[in-house]
Amino acid sequence: MCGINGVFRTGNNKVQYSRQVESMNIALQHRGPDDSGVYSDKNISLGHQRLAIIDLSSDGHQPFLSVDQNFVIVYNGELYNYQDIKSQIKDYPFQTNTDTEVILAAYISLGADCLKLFNGMFSFAIWNKEKKELFIARDRVGIKPLYYSIQDTCIVFSSEIRALLASEEVPRKLNKLALPEYLQYQTVHAPNTIIEDVSVLLPGSYARVIGNKITIEKYWDPTKHINPSVLSHSKKEVVDNVAKLLTESVERRMISDVPFGAFLSGGIDSSLIVGLMNKITTKPVNTFSITFDDQKFSEAKYSNIVAKHFKTNHNEIQLKVKNFIDELPNALESMDHPSGDGPNSYLVSKATKTAGITVALSGLGGDELFAGYSIFKQASDVNSKSYLNNIPVNFRKLFAQLYARTARGVSGEKISEVLSLPKIATKYLYPTYRKALLNRQVNDLTGPNSAERINLLGQFTPLNRNVYLPLLSEVSVYELSTYMQNTLLRDTDQMSMASALEVRVPFLDHQLVEYVLSVSDEIKYPLTPKSLLIDSFKGLVPNEVIYRKKMGFVLPWTKWLKNELREFCVDRMESIEKRGIFEGGVVIQLWNSFLKNDPKVSWSRVWHIVVLEDWLQRNNIEA
């Protein structure tokens, strides 16, 4: 796991960019403290910060050159099947035992088609000196980031936005067009970002850059890998296949030359991962969880049950208010892109790294893939009420307005918005479900109709209509393409890499994803959330954990924002009000509504605005 950078001159000026890339490397030192390197040619400079995981020797130094010196690679991530691929490449004289050289050799041999062989999480760039061609690529699901910016005379790319800004080629300017989307969803969805003229390469994509022309292609789309024959599989076949695929995924992700462990929240997903790790290794698994004095927010009871059951080397991070307040500035400093979440990931990652662990496995992705969120049941319920589409939309809107006046809380207003949709169907329901601020609130902040211009539907991975996709799998695709990719994975990467900790996610192995998306709804969710996952591993995890009430990994934010963090929040709310990017006085009104316990303004409706202002200040962004 590492950080990569590059500046590619698109014009005829043959200036070397080594100084700029050195500055970019400095901005990424936290991602790779073990080694640093820069390569410069006439029109390009490439930079790398290394966190050594596999082959800890100097053979892993990057930028890495091919044997004939014609190709140069900088690479961030892990290729789990690199030994298998290496054995298939017969015409390359390998000099090292690194996965970096395998990626380079595979590209030399197969070009972009090499990506179809890779099982892992990665972003990388390869420079072809002879053709003067730059090739950049990102893993299928989007676990590892890759940002880029096209300027007048160059293209700049990096693992983090802050490194792009450090190049001094990218203006520090807020993307005002993306502001309504950030307010509504607590993030900005790929390919856009919160910074003007900075994009993120979409998951499952690659780009070729020749001269001043960039061509982007998609090499993987989950909906194009649906296997219709899986629909005819018996439940036993499906359960056996899921068990096999997830077990193999965990086993692959335990390959490491450094100490590894696992995040253990006490929920089903993380507990299953720990249980599988325990079956695979003969040594006690190192596990880490956050606990609280306030039992309403603490999952310590369940994480301890799992830890004792599997005899893990368990580490509790006991979080008190003072601990959190002390660490909050560091967590916010580590945020590469503003978000409504993240500090919890920062805290558990820092404690894990402090304990001497360099690689940690996470249960992220289990809810998205195995129908663990309430949206899956809601989508099914809405699908059964398609008769409502027989009611003219104007009548539905009128009823929605009447309902909104009497409804309490955010859920009431969301139901009102759903009733007003052009069509009551899953693809329209989903964007409403994931909203932090409602249309009315966004319009109040950024002007009339600004919320209506947000097109989350356009961000979805296009559904391949040539193949039948079960309803719950359709929702999973929405989750994978939006919330998971642009919030959960981004936060996990930036907060774990702040402590030079590599986080691996077995649930997001592309072979497992493709298979589970092909499974029928009846087998996936016959009665309760994640039924298929539970049935696939019966007896592995204690029933007390399997049948507990879902809680989620949350912090007592409401209490903290109204007390210990109140001054911090007020300062930033007042500061962002002065920037003039919102309608006058509305930000403060929103904050006051939160303080007055307005049921339609929870802590998550104001915190991401506080974070945005803090991020703008820290990064000197012009609004």
Side-chain angles (χ1 to χ4, degrees):
M1 195 63 58
C2 311
I4 64 173
N5 298 305
V7 180
F8 176 46
R9 168 66 68 179
T10 58
N12 294 320
N13 192 334
K14 298 181 179 181
V15 175
Q16 291 189 353
Y17 284 89
S18 56
R19 285 189 178 180
Q20 284 178 291
V21 171
E22 285 169 1
S23 296
M24 296 171 77
N25 275 2
I26 290 171
L28 293 187
Q29 281 182 333
H30 55 280
R31 295 185 72 94
D34 296 331
D35 191 17
S36 180
V38 174
Y39 167 88
S40 289
D41 201 354
K42 294 178 181 178
N43 292 77
I44 192 168
S45 279
L46 302 174
H48 187 264
Q49 289 293 140
R50 184 187 183 198
L51 176 63
I53 303 292
I54 294 175
D55 191 344
L56 309 185
S57 73
S58 60
D59 287 346
H61 176 80
Q62 297 184 43
F64 187 96
L65 276 70
S66 61
V67 173
D68 64 6
Q69 306 289 295
N70 187 52
F71 295 88
V72 189
I73 183 173
V74 285
Y75 156 56
N76 168 33
E78 300 294 344
L79 190 63
Y80 304 122
N81 63 335
Y82 76 101
Q83 293 286 17
D84 292 337
I85 296 172
K86 185 176 183 178
S87 67
Q88 299 172 36
I89 302 174
K90 306 298 184 181
D91 57 351
Y92 185 88
F94 287 97
Q95 306 296 305
T96 73
N97 193 39
T98 64
D99 55 346
T100 304
E101 189 174 23
V102 172
I103 290 177
L104 187 57
Y107 177 76
I108 293 170
S109 176
L110 299 171
D113 284 344
C114 70
L115 295 165
K116 298 174 183 178
L117 300 178
F118 297 166
N119 186 320
M121 54 180 183
F122 54 82
S123 62
F124 63 84
I126 295 176
W127 171 242
N128 184 325
K129 294 170 66 176
E130 181 181 337
K131 292 185 177 181
K132 299 293 185 286
E133 176 183 279
L134 179 66
F135 180 86
I136 60 176
R138 193 176 178 206
D139 66 70
R140 291 173 178 82
V141 187
I143 301 169
K144 291 292 101 184
L146 188 58
Y147 298 95
Y148 67 94
S149 180
I150 303 174
Q151 298 299 316
D152 291 338
T153 59
C154 68
I155 292 177
V156 192
F157 67 87
S158 179
S159 298
E160 294 193 4
I161 291 174
R162 287 173 296 186
L164 293 182
L165 299 176
S167 74
E168 298 186 352
E169 291 287 350
V170 180
R172 296 174 180 265
K173 196 169 183 181
L174 176 70
N175 182 0
K176 292 183 180 178
L177 293 177
L179 188 58
E181 183 179 330
Y182 175 82
L183 293 172
Q184 189 148 80
Y185 293 106
Q186 303 182 20
T187 190
V188 178
H189 295 84
N192 302 313
T193 71
I194 199 68
I195 296 295
E196 191 174 290
D197 295 329
V198 171
S199 301
V200 58
L201 187 67
L202 286 169
S205 298
Y206 66 84
R208 298 183 188 275
V209 186
I210 303 178
N212 60 357
K213 183 179 180 182
I214 181 169
T215 304
I216 299 176
E217 300 285 346
K218 201 115 169 91
Y219 70 89
W220 186 80
D221 180 329
T223 65
K224 293 179 180 177
H225 289 81
I226 300 300
N227 184 354
S229 67
V230 174
L231 290 172
S232 62
H233 286 186
S234 68
K235 181 173 180 179
K236 184 180 185 309
E237 287 178 291
V238 172
V239 163
D240 289 346
N241 285 329
V242 167
K244 178 177 179 291
L245 288 168
L246 183 56
T247 301
E248 291 174 346
S249 176
V250 171
E251 191 169 16
R252 276 193 288 269
R253 283 155 183 80
M254 290 178 69
I255 298 172
S256 173
D257 293 331
V258 294
F260 59 83
F263 296 156
L264 178 59
S265 68
I268 293 173
D269 302 332
S270 64
S271 299
L272 277 174
I273 297 300
V274 170
L276 290 173
M277 292 175 73
N278 184 67
K279 288 177 65 176
I280 293 166
T281 183
T282 57
K283 299 178 181 179
V285 178
N286 297 295
T287 54
F288 299 84
S289 63
I290 289 179
T291 63
F292 304 96
D293 290 337
D294 191 335
Q295 293 303 306
K296 289 187 298 182
F297 299 96
S298 182
E299 295 185 280
K301 172 184 175 181
Y302 300 103
S303 59
N304 281 321
I305 288 172
V306 175
K308 289 177 182 177
H309 183 75
F310 295 116
K311 298 180 175 61
T312 73
N313 177 22
H314 192 51
N315 301 265
E316 284 189 353
I317 303 105
Q318 295 186 343
L319 192 63
K320 300 182 183 297
V321 173
K322 184 180 186 308
N323 304 138
F324 181 80
I325 301 301
D326 290 344
E327 286 289 358
L328 183 60
N330 295 327
L332 294 175
E333 179 67 32
S334 301
M335 195 170 280
D336 184 55
H337 189 288
S339 167
D341 202 356
N344 47 358
S345 298
Y346 173 84
L347 291 166
V348 71
S349 295
K350 182 177 179 180
T352 303
K353 183 67 176 185
T354 301
I357 303 299
T358 303
V359 175
L361 273 63
S362 165
L364 192 155
D367 284 314
E368 290 77 10
L369 201 55
F370 289 93
Y373 294 131
S374 60
I375 180 60
F376 290 92
K377 186 176 187 307
Q378 291 175 14
S380 183
D381 291 343
V382 165
N383 194 55
S384 68
K385 294 179 174 61
S386 58
Y387 60 84
L388 291 172
N389 288 309
N390 295 325
I391 302 173
V393 67
N394 288 335
F395 283 101
R396 283 195 279 111
K397 285 183 176 179
L398 180 62
F399 178 77
Q401 290 172 1
L402 295 173
Y403 182 83
R405 291 175 187 171
T406 58
R408 284 184 55 81
V410 175
S411 60
E413 282 210 42
K414 284 189 175 181
I415 291 172
S416 175
E417 283 195 13
V418 169
L419 290 171
S420 301
L421 292 172
K423 186 177 181 181
I424 297 178
T426 306
K427 76 173 186 177
Y428 295 106
L429 166 71
Y430 183 82
T432 301
Y433 171 81
R434 277 296 174 196
K435 288 178 181 178
L437 291 180
L438 301 165
N439 285 1
R440 168 185 58 80
Q441 294 168 318
V442 173
N443 289 335
D444 286 346
L445 284 164
T446 54
N449 301 316
S450 58
E452 285 71 20
R453 290 191 290 270
I454 301 170
N455 182 23
L456 191 65
L457 288 174
Q459 309 291 351
F460 291 158
T461 300
L463 295 178
N464 182 8
R465 294 303 181 186
N466 295 323
V467 177
Y468 169 73
L469 190 66
L471 174 64
L472 297 181
S473 295
E474 185 176 334
V475 177
S476 286
V477 170
Y478 296 156
E479 285 287 294
L480 293 169
S481 303
T482 56
Y483 176 63
M484 189 195 72
Q485 177 199 141
N486 298 282
T487 299
L488 297 181
L489 286 176
R490 177 185 279 161
D491 288 347
T492 297
D493 176 80
Q494 61 189 7
M495 291 305 179
S496 62
M497 291 310 295
S499 296
L501 177 76
E502 175 179 305
V503 174
R504 298 177 178 178
V505 280
F507 280 110
L508 298 184
D509 185 285
H510 73 275
Q511 294 174 352
L512 178 65
V513 170
E514 291 169 5
Y515 184 81
V516 176
L517 290 180
S518 303
V519 173
S520 70
D521 291 346
E522 291 73 23
I523 290 179
K524 187 179 294 178
Y525 195 147
L527 293 172
T528 57
K530 292 196 275 199
S531 295
L532 171 57
L533 183 61
I534 293 168
D535 290 344
S536 299
F537 295 95
K538 278 187 176 178
L540 180 61
V541 174
N543 286 339
E544 294 163 278
V545 173
I546 293 294
Y547 299 109
R548 57 168 289 200
K549 183 179 179 181
K550 183 176 177 62
M551 180 175 175
F553 192 41
V554 296
L555 302 175
W557 285 103
T558 300
K559 177 182 176 182
W560 290 348
L561 263 61
K562 290 183 177 182
N563 296 282
E564 291 85 357
L565 289 174
R566 182 165 179 164
E567 183 179 348
F568 177 88
C569 294
V570 169
D571 176 75
R572 280 146 186 81
M573 283 295 209
E574 291 178 347
S575 180
I576 204 167
E577 173 79 23
K578 295 173 184 177
R579 289 182 181 269
I581 57 177
F582 298 132
E583 298 292 309
V586 180
V587 169
I588 302 303
Q589 289 175 19
L590 193 69
W591 172 252
N592 288 335
S593 294
F594 164 69
L595 293 179
K596 294 175 182 177
N597 300 315
D598 185 334
K600 296 178 181 178
V601 187
S602 64
W603 72 267
S604 61
R605 273 74 186 171
V606 294
W607 174 245
H608 66 306
I609 300 176
V610 172
V611 170
L612 175 62
E613 173 59 21
D614 188 85
W615 191 86
L616 294 174
Q617 289 181 21
R618 289 175 185 275
N619 292 280
N620 300 313
I621 305 301
E622 175 191 343

